[in-house]
Amino acid sequence: MNKKGKRKRKKRSKRMLPLERVYQKRHERKLRSKVSSEKRAIYEKEDAYKETINIALAGNPNVGKSVIFNQLTGLSQTIGNWPGKTVEKMEGYLNFLGYHFNIIDLPGIYSLSTYSLEEIVSREYIISEEVDIIINVIDATNLERNLFFTFQLLELEVPMILAINQMDILRKRKIDLDFKKLEKIFKLPVLPVVAVHGTGVHQLLEEAIELVIYHHPHSHYIEGGKNKHEHLSHDYHLREESKIKIAEERSTLKFFQFPDLSSVISYGKEVELRIKDLVKLIDEYRDYFSQFNYPSRFLAIKILENDEEIIKIFNFDDKSKHIIKIAEKYRKELEDLHGEDINTIISSEIYNNIHNIIEKTVLDYTPETIKETLAEKIDHITTHSIGGYVILGLVLVGIYTFTFIVGDFLGGLVEELFMNLTIPIYATYGEDNVWVKLLWDGAMGGFFGAIGGVLVYVIPFFLIIEILQDSGYLPRAAFLMDRVMHAIGVHGKTIIPMILGFGCNVPACAGCRIMETEREKKISIALTSLVPCAAVTTVVLGLVGRYLGLGWVLFLFIINFSVILFIGRILNKVMPGESTELIMEMHDYRLPNLNVITKQTYMRSKEFIFKALPIIIVLGIVLEIMLIFNLLEPINIVLSPVTVFWLGLPIVVGVFLIYGILRKELTLVLLAILATSMGLTILELMTPIQMIVFCLVTMLYIPCFATIIIIAKQTNWKYALQISLMEIAIALLIGGAIFWGYSFFINL
Amino acid sequence: MIRSMNEKFVQKKGFGTPLIKCLTKCKKGEKTKVIGVNAGFRAKKRLANLGIVPGTTIKKKTEAPFHGPLEIIVKGSTLAIGRGLASKIIVECSEICNF
C-alpha cells in the first residue's frame, strides 16, 4: 500500500506547476519524516525482538510450492508443469512486517512413508527443530490426493498452515470451497492462494506470525469480524504489549498447542483401538522416544505400518523391542480381519476421512463436467495412439527448426555487423597490429562469435523448452515413450530429463533424481549426458547446418540417437536388477504463464552470458597470444595421431577439442576466432567431411565439465569417469569409421 | 490367477459371467471399482498412497499403443501407470466381458 501511494504521489507531482511542486515536496518531506520517525521507532524497538521464523513449504509434487517460494523470496527456483522439478531443498530469506523469514522449499512427495529418499529426507527435516511452521501447499483442483499428504502431516503435530493453491482454476470450473468449514475442521488456518499471481501469498506469512509468535491460530471467518482488523501481526502497539506478555508466558507456554484433531484423523474402530494401545505403550517409554521429536501417535502408526526407519528407532532395548512384537501381532490381526495388507488398510481409512471432509466442504460440485474443456481436448490429442506420436515428432523437430530459423537469422545479422566493424578498424590501426590482434580479433572476435554463433541459438532454444515445461507436455511425452524406454531398461519418465537435456545437460542430469531406483537413475544419467544440448546443437547448426544444410544435421542427430539407444540396451544388460514400472501423475495442461517463461529464459540465458562469455573472451585473447608465439603447435602435434590420422581433421582443431570439454560451444567459437585471425572463412579451413566428423566428435566425445561434476554428485566419481571414457571411445570409434569409410569410397 | 478366481466365482454363485478382471482388460472410458492389488509390498504401498485401494472407483482414460502404459483417473487426478503394474490391479467386471 505504502509503496503504491508513494508512486501515485510522484506521478501527480510531475504534472504540477514548478512552484506548486516545491510546496508539495516540502509538505511531503515533512510528512514522510514524521511517518518514518514514528515507524523507525517501532522498528528500532523491534530490532531488539527481531525474530526468525523458519518456514518449510511441503506438499505433493507440482502443486506450486516453488511458485510460492519464488513469489516470497524473489529467487528463481525452477518451475514448470511436471512433477519432480525441485530436486534439492532450496533456501531463501525475506523480511516482512519486521520479522525475518527463512523459507525452505522441499521437494514434492506423496506421503511420509519411506518409498523414496526424498520422503525420508523431508520427513526428518520437517520434524527437526529447524522448522517452526509448515505451509502445506494444496492443489485445489486435486483436493482428495493432496489432503492425503495433509493428513500425514497432521500426525506430525507441527504448526501448520494449509495454503489451497490454484483457486482461480477451481472457481473457473464453478466449484468453490467452504473455507470456514475447512478451518473449523482442521482448527488451523486455511487460506486460498493463487500463487502464479501472488494472491494471498503474503497472508501466509501473517498467519505464520500469528501461529509462531502469538501461538494464536487466527480465524478469518468470525462473524462480524470483518470491520475490525484482527491480525495481531499488523498491530504494532499491541505487539509491544503482547510481546512482553509473551516473553513472560514463554517460560510456561513453550510450544504451540497443536489442536486436538482426533475427531478428524481417527481411523475405524479396529485400527484405532490398536493404535491407542500402542500409543499407551510408547508413552510409558516417553523418556527414550522424546529425543526423536516424533509424536507418539505417529510412531504408533508407523510401527504398525512396519516402517523401516521407525523400526530402527524401536530396535533399542528389550522394552522397545517388545513394542515391535506387539505391533506385529496387531498388524497380523488387522490384516486377517480385513484381508488386506496394513498399508492398504490405513490408506483407505485416511481416504475415507478425506471423502467425508470433501463432501462437507466442496460446494457446487458437479462430478463430471459435460463439456470437454480445451485442456482435455489437447490432452486427448496428445496422448492419442497415432496423433500423439505425430505431435511428439513435430514438437521435437519444431524445437530445432524454430531454433535454427531464429538463430540463423540473428546470427547472420551479428556476423555482418562484425564484418562491417572490422573493415574500418583494420583500415585505421592496421591488420598486423599486435593490439588489434589481441583485443579485436581475440576478445571482440570471441565476444561476437559467442553472441552470433551461440547466444542467438541458445535464447530461442531455452524459450521453447520453457514453454514445453510450463504447459505440461512433458509427462505426456513420458506416457507415450514408456514402451520404447522399457526397451532400454528404464521407464517413460526418463524422457523428461532427456528432453530437458536438449537445453542443458547439467540440470537434466540433476533431474534424473525423479527416477525411483538407483539403477534407473544411473541409466538415465548416462543417456541424458549423451543428449545433444543447446551448446552442441549450436555447434552442429552453426557449422554443418549453415554450410552443408539441414539434411546433414538430421544425419548427425540420427547417429546420436542411435548411440543413445545402443548404450541404453547395453547398460540394461550390464546393470544388475530389473526395470520398475511407471507411476506418474499427469497434471492438466495449462496456458504457459508469459511472465514465468520470460523470466526463466532470461535467468538461463543470463547464466550463459555471465559464465560463458568471460571465459570465451579470455580464451580468445589467450588463443591469439598462443598464435603469436606459436604455442598451439606442440599441443596439436601431440594430439595429431588422433585428430589428423584417425579422424582426418585439420591439425589446428586438436586444442579446441580440449577447450570443448570446458564448454562445448567453445569448439566452434574458437574455430571462428582462428579463422578470422588467419583471414579465412571456416569453409576454407575445413572440408565438408571434416565438418561432419568434427561435429560428430563434438557431440559425443565427452560430457562437458559441469555435466561430469553433476554426474559425480548424483552418483559417484567412478561412474562419472566411466561415462566419460565410454563416450570418448564411442566418439573416436564412430568418427574414425566415418572418415575411413569416406576415404575408402573416394579411393574406389 | 484371475482365471482361477473367476472360475471359482462362476462355480460358486452360478453366474455365467466372470466377476473380476485386471485393469488392462478394461475398455477406454470404462469406469469400475478396485477389488484388490496383486503386487509386491512396495508397489502396493505406493499405489495405496495414491488412492488405489479396494473400493475406489477408477476410470480408464486411454492407453498408449504397443502395450504401453495406461492413463487412469483415480480420486480426481490422472495417473499414468505402466502396463505391467496395471495388470496387477484387479477390478470389478461391471458388464459381460471376456477375459
Side-chain angles (χ1 to χ4, degrees):
Chain A
M1 258 328 267
N2 220 351
K3 254 191 183 171
K4 259 188 195 168
K6 258 186 202 168
R7 220 178 291 149
K8 257 187 197 167
R9 239 179 281 150
K10 262 186 192 167
K11 255 188 194 170
R12 208 191 301 145
S13 65
K14 264 181 193 168
R15 262 182 262 128
M16 271 181 245
L17 292 168
L19 198 67
E20 237 180 311
R21 210 183 292 158
V22 172
Y23 279 125
Q24 176 76 16
K25 264 192 182 163
R26 207 173 284 164
H27 179 68
E28 258 181 36
R29 208 173 299 141
K30 242 187 210 167
L31 228 143
R32 207 181 299 148
S33 64
K34 199 178 168 195
V35 169
S36 60
S37 68
E38 226 171 77
K39 239 187 197 167
R40 211 181 300 134
I42 288 166
Y43 277 114
E44 264 163 22
K45 258 188 210 168
E46 251 163 22
D47 272 343
Y49 290 104
K50 195 160 198 177
E51 274 175 84
T52 311
I53 299 176
N54 299 302
I55 297 180
L57 291 162
N60 281 10
N62 208 20
V63 291
K65 293 180 295 297
S66 296
V67 184
I68 292 179
F69 178 82
N70 287 355
Q71 290 278 6
L72 287 176
T73 59
L75 294 172
S76 46
Q77 170 83 296
T78 359
I79 49 185
N81 189 6
W82 55 282
K85 297 161 296 287
T86 307
V87 282
E88 254 159 52
K89 65 172 201 269
M90 176 110 172
E91 231 174 314
Y93 309 93
L94 110 135
N95 288 316
F96 183 68
L97 291 174
Y99 290 91
H100 184 71
F101 287 89
N102 201 351
I103 297 166
I104 292 106
D105 186 21
L106 292 172
I109 48 176
Y110 286 109
S111 80
L112 289 175
S113 57
T114 42
Y115 181 78
S116 64
L117 192 70
E118 263 110 54
E119 288 175 352
I120 301 172
V121 171
S122 293
R123 181 165 92 188
E124 272 163 13
Y125 188 75
I126 287 168
I127 209 70
S128 71
E129 275 164 10
E130 286 167 50
V131 179
D132 294 322
I133 187 163
I134 312 170
I135 294 179
N136 176 210
V137 185
I138 293 170
D139 178 358
T141 60
N142 198 350
L143 211 55
E144 216 168 339
R145 162 131 332 124
N146 279 263
L147 282 177
F148 184 81
F149 184 63
T150 307
F151 268 71
Q152 303 219 323
L153 282 177
L154 288 174
E155 300 284 5
L156 288 176
E157 293 179 13
V158 179
M160 186 158 87
I161 298 169
L162 307 183
I164 303 202
N165 191 14
Q166 298 189 18
M167 278 310 291
D168 53 335
I169 296 174
L170 195 74
R171 282 178 184 145
K172 246 185 217 161
R173 292 184 193 168
K174 303 250 152 55
I175 302 166
D176 211 340
L177 298 176
D178 190 342
F179 281 91
K180 199 169 155 185
K181 252 187 199 154
L182 277 171
E183 282 200 340
K184 234 179 219 166
I185 290 168
F186 287 115
K187 296 173 188 159
L188 288 167
V190 184
L191 286 167
V193 171
V194 183
V196 260
H197 304 309
T199 319
V201 169
H202 285 91
Q203 264 98 300
L204 294 172
L205 299 185
E206 286 169 14
E207 225 47 59
I209 299 173
E210 305 283 333
L211 270 181
V212 176
I213 307 294
Y214 299 102
H215 309 285
H216 174 255
H218 166 272
S219 177
H220 306 264
Y221 304 100
I222 303 164
E223 266 88 332
K226 261 193 173 173
N227 306 328
K228 223 170 113 190
H229 204 67
E230 294 269 345
H231 279 83
L232 290 169
S233 51
H234 272 288
D235 197 329
Y236 292 108
H237 300 290
L238 183 66
R239 188 189 287 178
E240 297 314 306
E241 288 165 25
S242 54
K243 274 230 170 115
I244 298 159
K245 228 198 293 170
I246 281 164
E248 286 163 4
E249 282 173 7
R250 270 272 159 102
S251 49
T252 51
L253 187 73
K254 254 195 176 154
F255 298 103
F256 164 70
Q257 202 64 44
F258 199 79
D260 177 26
L261 292 172
S262 54
S263 61
V264 189
I265 55 174
S266 64
Y267 304 138
K269 214 178 183 182
E270 294 102 2
V271 185
E272 197 59 39
L273 274 175
R274 285 172 177 85
I275 288 174
K276 276 199 178 127
D277 252 18
L278 286 173
V279 168
K280 229 182 257 164
L281 284 171
I282 292 167
D283 273 341
E284 276 171 26
Y285 212 43
R286 201 60 228 167
D287 310 339
Y288 167 66
F289 288 113
S290 60
Q291 59 173 308
F292 296 103
N293 268 334
Y294 291 113
S296 317
R297 190 181 152 83
F298 182 81
L299 283 174
I301 294 169
K302 288 295 163 192
I303 193 76
L304 196 63
E305 274 184 1
N306 211 0
D307 185 292
E308 290 150 31
E309 295 295 310
I310 297 297
I311 283 179
K312 274 184 210 156
I313 293 178
F314 278 85
N315 263 330
F316 175 65
D317 64 7
D318 289 343
K319 207 173 169 189
S320 62
K321 276 180 189 162
H322 178 65
I323 301 178
I324 298 181
K325 268 183 200 148
I326 292 175
E328 257 165 30
K329 196 187 101 195
Y330 284 162
R331 190 183 318 132
K332 251 208 163 143
E333 281 174 14
L334 282 171
E335 284 178 351
D336 287 343
L337 205 67
H338 289 260
E340 279 296 336
D341 87 344
I342 189 75
N343 289 307
T344 314
I345 298 169
I346 290 185
S347 296
S348 19
E349 296 275 3
I350 294 176
Y351 272 111
N352 276 343
N353 288 337
I354 293 170
H355 191 73
N356 291 338
I357 289 176
I358 284 193
E359 274 195 339
K360 276 185 224 157
T361 55
V362 176
L363 306 168
D364 205 354
Y365 188 66
T366 38
E368 222 112 310
T369 34
I370 308 120
K371 217 181 131 196
E372 214 179 27
T373 58
L374 183 67
E376 275 164 13
K377 266 183 206 158
I378 297 173
D379 177 60
H380 191 75
I381 300 166
T382 45
T383 55
H384 188 264
S385 34
I386 302 160
Y389 289 97
V390 175
I391 289 173
L392 182 63
L394 285 178
V395 166
L396 293 182
V397 172
I399 295 176
Y400 285 108
T401 32
F402 177 76
T403 313
F404 182 72
I405 290 169
V406 176
D408 199 44
F409 173 71
L410 293 175
L413 286 183
V414 172
E415 198 170 307
E416 217 165 276
L417 181 73
F418 183 62
M419 284 297 178
N420 288 340
L421 285 174
T422 306
I423 297 163
I425 283 176
Y426 277 176
T428 40
Y429 296 104
E431 216 170 301
D432 292 324
N433 191 328
V434 178
W435 290 109
V436 168
K437 267 198 182 304
L438 276 187
L439 294 179
W440 185 255
D441 288 354
M444 289 316 279
F447 179 74
F448 277 98
I451 297 216
V454 183
L455 193 66
V456 290
Y457 293 99
V458 164
I459 290 175
F461 203 101
F462 281 149
L463 189 73
I464 205 162
I465 291 277
E466 285 302 329
I467 292 173
L468 275 186
Q469 263 205 70
D470 209 45
S471 64
Y473 181 70
L474 295 180
R476 269 76 185 182
F479 173 74
L480 288 173
M481 294 301 284
D482 184 55
R483 182 73 195 87
V484 182
M485 300 313 272
H486 266 296
I488 55 176
V490 282
H491 59 64
K493 260 194 208 172
T494 308
I495 204 79
I496 295 179
M498 278 172 80
I499 289 180
L500 294 179
F502 285 130
C504 178
N505 281 181
V506 177
C509 281
C512 287
R513 283 263 297 252
I514 58 170
M515 305 308 292
E516 285 88 358
T517 62
E518 195 64 27
R519 172 195 140 96
E520 278 164 339
K521 199 173 97 183
K522 276 189 166 177
I523 297 179
S524 303
I525 284 177
L527 300 181
T528 306
S529 73
L530 277 167
V531 170
C533 69
V536 172
T537 311
T538 50
V539 173
V540 175
L541 287 179
L543 201 62
V544 173
R546 182 176 281 177
Y547 297 110
L548 302 179
L550 276 180
W552 287 103
V553 174
L554 199 68
F555 170 74
L556 286 176
F557 274 79
I558 288 171
I559 291 182
N560 196 329
F561 289 121
S562 329
V563 168
I564 291 175
L565 273 177
F566 179 73
I567 296 287
R569 288 219 76 133
I570 288 183
L571 285 179
N572 189 21
K573 287 255 163 68
V574 173
M575 291 235 186
E578 267 188 26
S579 63
T580 56
E581 291 279 347
L582 172 79
I583 309 178
M584 177 185 59
E585 202 170 344
M586 311 251 282
H587 293 266
D588 288 342
Y589 276 110
R590 61 167 186 241
L591 197 67
N593 188 313
L594 192 70
N595 237 334
V596 169
I597 287 173
T598 44
K599 199 176 167 196
Q600 300 239 335
T601 310
Y602 168 71
M603 287 305 296
R604 283 178 162 217
S605 311
K606 199 176 92 179
E607 205 205 287
F608 170 81
I609 293 167
F610 286 109
K611 277 196 184 151
L613 224 51
I615 298 177
I616 289 173
I617 292 172
V618 169
L619 284 183
I621 297 172
V622 170
L623 188 71
E624 284 297 325
I625 294 172
M626 286 173 111
L627 269 178
I628 291 168
F629 293 104
N630 246 341
L631 286 174
L632 284 180
E633 216 82 330
I635 301 170
N636 282 335
I637 287 171
V638 171
L639 288 171
S640 65
V642 177
T643 50
V644 180
F645 173 73
W646 178 245
L647 297 171
L649 295 172
I651 191 163
V652 288
V653 301
V655 81
F656 301 152
L657 287 176
I658 290 185
Y659 276 134
I661 300 173
L662 219 56
R663 293 189 72 95
K664 290 255 179 129
E665 68 269 17
L666 283 178
T667 54
L668 177 66
V669 174
L670 294 180
L671 197 68
I673 295 173
L674 184 78
T676 353
S677 72
M678 285 165 78
L680 299 168
T681 60
I682 291 177
L683 262 180
E684 289 164 311
L685 208 66
M686 277 181 149
T687 60
I689 183 72
Q690 284 178 331
M691 282 187 193
I692 290 172
V693 173
F694 182 66
C695 281
L696 193 85
V697 170
T698 310
M699 272 172 132
L700 295 174
Y701 75 119
I702 198 168
C704 73
F705 196 60
T707 311
I708 295 176
I709 289 175
I710 203 86
I711 292 173
K713 232 170 114 187
Q714 292 289 320
T715 56
N716 51 47
W717 274 106
K718 198 181 147 202
Y719 191 66
L721 212 65
Q722 278 172 349
I723 288 181
S724 309
L725 288 177
M726 178 189 76
E727 290 183 12
I728 291 175
I730 291 168
L732 292 182
L733 206 71
I734 299 178
I738 288 179
F739 170 64
W740 284 96
Y742 175 77
S743 23
F744 181 71
F745 272 107
I746 290 291
N747 289 335
L748 274 179
Chain B
M1 182 228 159
I2 290 177
R3 199 172 286 254
S4 68
M5 270 173 87
N6 269 334
E7 273 162 13
K8 249 186 229 164
F9 267 116
V10 173
Q11 282 167 8
K12 235 188 201 169
K13 302 207 172 172
F15 290 130
T17 49
L19 294 171
I20 57 169
K21 60 183 176 182
C22 50
L23 188 62
T24 44
K25 294 280 187 295
C26 286
K27 288 186 210 110
K28 274 183 192 178
E30 192 180 326
K31 226 175 170 183
T32 53
K33 234 176 207 177
V34 177
I35 301 282
V37 179
N38 190 16
F41 169 73
R42 287 179 77 82
K44 215 167 170 175
K45 188 170 176 181
R46 179 90 167 143
L47 289 176
N49 284 340
L50 288 169
I52 302 177
V53 287
T56 318
T57 342
I58 211 171
K59 188 182 168 191
K60 181 169 159 186
K61 209 168 157 191
T62 180
E63 62 180 69
F66 322 117
H67 275 248
L70 277 73
E71 210 183 332
I72 55 170
I73 299 176
V74 197
K75 307 268 178 201
S77 72
T78 315
L79 287 180
I81 285 195
R83 178 166 291 258
L85 195 61
S87 67
K88 287 170 186 158
I89 300 172
I90 297 157
V91 294
E92 213 170 61
C93 223
S94 50
E95 50 196 271
I96 301 165
C97 52
N98 303 316
F99 54 91

